[in-house]
Amino acid sequence: GSGDYHCCLWDVERGSLKDTFRGHVGSIKCVKFHTNDDNVFASASRDGNILIWDVRVSSQRNIYGVQFKKPVAILCNVQQ
């Protein structure tokens, strides 16, 4: 997670970007993978939302051809 409002999943052994996750409208302050499922994680942002992600969900492309994934669930206004 970063200040540019999205999360990235990296293959650290190869040093390559695997996936980009977009959905926040504020800088991301926390990312945590599910304890029992490495495919699911949550991110919390200064936008006040917690987004739930699943790495198995298919990616989409924006109008510029950039590939990214959307959240599978959103918890709105949970952070102050």
Side-chain angles (χ1 to χ4, degrees):
S2 68
D4 64 1
Y5 308 167
H6 66 277
C7 299
C8 292
L9 181 62
W10 290 88
D11 181 332
V12 293
E13 291 178 0
R14 292 187 173 96
S16 60
L17 178 64
K18 291 180 74 170
D19 283 309
T20 301
F21 303 83
R22 296 182 185 219
H24 282 293
V25 293
S27 58
I28 297 169
K29 296 300 173 188
C30 181
V31 176
K32 175 78 169 128
F33 271 89
H34 190 285
T35 307
N36 300 320
D37 189 345
D38 291 341
N39 294 304
V40 177
F41 70 96
S43 59
S45 166
R46 287 196 186 266
D47 61 13
N49 301 323
I50 295 174
L51 304 184
I52 310 300
W53 309 89
D54 189 328
V55 300
R56 298 166 292 196
V57 172
S58 297
S59 295
Q60 300 179 359
R61 291 189 185 274
N62 65 14
I63 60 172
Y64 305 106
V66 176
Q67 196 168 340
F68 67 97
K69 294 188 183 217
K70 286 186 166 184
V72 296
I74 301 172
L75 304 170
C76 296
N77 300 316
V78 294
Q79 287 185 302
Q80 297 299 325

